[in-house]
Amino acid sequence: MKNLKRILCLALCLMLTLACLPAMAAGSVKIGVLVADATGAEALAFRAYYEKYIAKAYDVEFIYSEELKTADGEKDAIDNFIVNNCKAVISFSSVDRPAQIEQCETAGIYYAVATGTLTDEEYEDFKNYEHYVGAIGPSLNTEFQVGYNMAAYYIDQGMTKFGMFGGAVPYRTDMHIYRAAGMLCAMVDKGGEGAAYQGVNKPDDIIGMIYGTGTIETGKIGNLELLAYVGGYDFDDAWFGKLAQMAGTEGIEAILTVGSGVDVLGSFVAGSSVKLATVDSFTPAMGEAMNSGIIDYVAGKFATSIGPIFIATLNAVNGQPIRNEEGCALALDQGYWVATNAEQFAQYYAVDSSEENPAYSKDILDAYAPAGVSYEDFAAFVAQYSFEEITALKK
Amino acid sequence: MGKQTWKERIPAFASILGLMVLIAAYYIVGAIRDANVAYGLKAIVNQSVVVALVATGAVFIYTLGSFDISLGAATGVSALLGAMAYNATGNLLVMFLVCVGVAVVLGFINSSLASIFNLPIFVTTVAMMSVLSAFMLILIGWNGAGDTIKVKARDVRPLDNIPFKVAILAAYIALCWFVFTLLPTGREAKFTGGNPVCARLSGINEKKLGIIASLISAVGIGLGAFVTIIYAPTLTKDTASSIGMDVIIAIVFGGMPVSGGPRSRILSAVVGAFSMGFMTQIMSMLNLGSGYGQMIKAAIFLLVVFIALGSQRGKLLTR
């Protein structure tokens, strides 16, 4: 028994020593990364791009936070980055962005928002902060348009009966509400004369109504019909029962989801004629779902979309922040890639996931690394986010 | 009852020794990694103080051999209602009183239900956890401002400093230590936790003790909720959700048996909470990634608890 205890203690010491070894061989510039999701396929794809490509291509070390769900968790994580002498923070976590920006400004480290944007009011508050690099990601208008385009895609094919999964709409999550509102607005616009959702037909009114109720009402929208709706992420038997019921609703032609479509509905629509559409990301699991016919339409974030915000952050760390003529920080919109068949998805994914030559490779990013890169040039570069445009840049 | 050998004494101080080793490791790793060690100490206090407050109060419940799984949800509800009260009145004192008041009411409901239905407190807290988690969602919906309830950061910033938080923690520890050590309530709680049958036969009112323990614990929850708001004034449905588990870990890490009884100590919660804070900082400095870091934390946790509880194995009448 005594020997066993000694072996256990020795093993513990060995673990700690081994743990120190990779830490010794760190890159010269440390960048903290705040993440709200540490295990999802999309989060892992983002992380792989930074750690397997960017960290090797540039002399940087990324320090990741734990999975963050609360504002105090975000604050703790930034404190940990400051302790680790990180020069910048790239944030994928959005519980309290203003607090994150304030904390980094006070500490004198650079801060950037990845795959998201600030509200107009927030941008006005922080655009002149010395250490606020900016934000590159889908704005709420883009989220609205993603939902709109998804619904329009099926309505234009002649479909009239839909189901909808609202994800975090009951929790009043902005991007899910805007995507859902976009879907409803497409139905209003294309539902014929007098079409309206619950008596309203303007985007702002529909958005306000969803914020107020935290749900989507089923019913006719002109000559279109929303037959079923499920929201939330309860993950209990009753919730799965509702999802199964929606997938099996008679006459339903397509189910539009604001996110997580394959995870929550994939098994229920598999083998049926119901088309499933979702906003998600370009991951292996999504590729399999496309190949097997479970999913029909993906508007997805691509892993390398976080390349431009990295190079903007590195520029700032190197003393060459990209600012507009008034000296304001970046506020740039970046949309999704949309795949509507397996071949298209495979083509996009192959480029996006490459560890040797990803979509935003070092060659492309380096063009925006030197001092003196103008805001306008950088904005034009970010605006070329479609697969075809990035592929053209590589040539 | 002969004189104790040094081998017998080590377990009694294992948790404090563990904390000292972690502090030493923190400085060593900090030096190797060229970390900002001074800033890290401030971060450790910020990250540990809420757990220390809630865990210190929870020691009373754990001493009885009971268990409260709703600590996190109760802290969350108290914080949400405190924030809503502040937004309605603009008065920090009102926010403070609502945080503590709500927590006390919830603690009273928990313990009263346990008394009325003659159930262990643990059972009522399981039900209460579900109710409170749902209530948090309802409160956020009522508030009608997206998926958060916010207090303006600049309004609470003057209180968001280490001396103020340490003062709150010190005052609460002093209060708990006084009740636990100098008043009969503490001795009765230890007796009940160690041997409930003997305690009952000796005339100790277990239900009354349960209510007192819940109320004292509730004050810690209310203070924890208040400090949570001043530290990070944007609250969500997940606010304080990890506190329940953190409190259990802190109490065990601090050298107190979760089964309660005579070996219960008020300071266990503080020692455990700060040990966790140092350990988290060390793992962060090593940049191990959450998976590997969690495994090492678990191994250290097991080692410290193994040594701390070493002297009790095989003994009768200790829990």
Side-chain angles (χ1 to χ4, degrees), chain B residues 120-208:
Chain B
I121 291 177
F122 166 68
V123 175
T124 58
T125 63
V126 170
M128 190 57 96
M129 184 181 68
S130 299
V131 171
L132 294 178
S133 298
F135 190 50
M136 287 176 79
L137 276 179
I138 293 169
L139 285 175
I140 288 169
W142 278 349
N143 193 53
D147 56 355
T148 59
I149 294 180
K150 290 184 183 181
V151 168
K152 282 180 184 162
R154 65 171 175 268
D155 294 353
V156 292
R157 197 168 294 138
L159 300 179
D160 187 18
N161 59 71
I162 299 292
F164 179 73
K165 292 176 193 174
V166 170
I168 286 185
L169 179 61
Y172 184 59
I173 290 171
L175 171 75
C176 290
W177 180 84
F178 176 76
V179 176
F180 200 70
T181 311
L182 301 180
L183 296 184
T185 308
R187 291 193 296 277
E188 288 173 3
K190 287 180 194 172
F191 189 12
T192 304
N195 193 326
V197 177
C198 281
R200 209 173 299 132
L201 293 174
S202 304
I204 291 173
N205 187 336
E206 206 176 336
K207 288 177 181 173
K208 186 179 134 196

Side-chain angles (χ1 to χ4, degrees), chain A residues 10-21:
Chain A
L10 198 64
L12 183 63
C13 295
L14 194 64
M15 276 170 76
L16 284 168
T17 311
L18 286 173
C20 289
L21 291 178

Side-chain angles (χ1 to χ4, degrees), chain A residues 1-2 5 8-9 12 14-16 18-26 30 38 47 51 61-67 69-73 75-85 95-99 102-103 107 122 170-174 211-212 234, chain B residues 7 26 29 32-37 39-43 46-47 137 140-142 144-148 150 157 160 165 228 230-241 280-290 292 294-297 299-300 303 306:
Chain A
M1 190 64 189
K2 268 188 178 174
K5 285 178 200 168
L8 280 171
C9 290
L12 183 63
L14 194 64
M15 276 170 76
L16 284 168
L18 286 173
C20 289
L21 291 178
M24 305 280 199
K30 292 182 192 170
R47 188 165 182 159
E51 292 192 330
E61 179 191 2
F62 291 102
I63 298 179
Y64 274 74
S65 72
E66 308 261 323
E67 194 164 285
K69 302 287 178 203
T70 60
D72 55 325
K75 206 168 176 182
D76 291 347
I78 293 176
D79 273 345
N80 293 345
F81 295 152
I82 295 167
V83 174
N84 279 289
N85 282 323
V95 181
D96 193 348
R97 285 220 164 104
E102 292 279 6
Q103 193 179 358
E122 288 170 345
Y171 318 133
R172 274 76 173 179
T173 298
D174 296 331
Y211 270 115
D234 297 346
Chain B
K7 273 190 175 178
Y26 170 74
V29 175
I32 293 170
R33 290 283 287 165
D34 190 26
N36 187 343
V37 175
Y39 190 93
L41 291 175
K42 186 182 139 198
N46 272 323
Q47 291 167 19
L137 276 179
I140 288 169
W142 278 349
D147 56 355
T148 59
K150 290 184 183 181
R157 197 168 294 138
D160 187 18
K165 292 176 193 174
T228 296
I230 60 175
Y231 179 56
T234 296
L235 310 172
T236 67
K237 68 183 177 62
D238 295 310
T239 292
S241 58
T280 302
Q281 276 300 334
I282 293 167
M283 294 305 139
S284 165
M285 287 193 290
L286 290 172
N287 191 19
L288 296 170
S290 55
Y292 199 26
Q294 292 290 353
M295 282 192 276
I296 292 179
K297 276 162 91 171
I300 295 171
L303 189 68
F306 175 78

Side-chain angles (χ1 to χ4, degrees), chain A residues 315 319-323 367-378:
Chain A
N315 281 358
Q320 306 151 10
I322 301 170
R323 316 288 281 196
Y368 299 90
V373 171
S374 73
Y375 189 102
E376 288 70 27
D377 286 349
F378 193 73

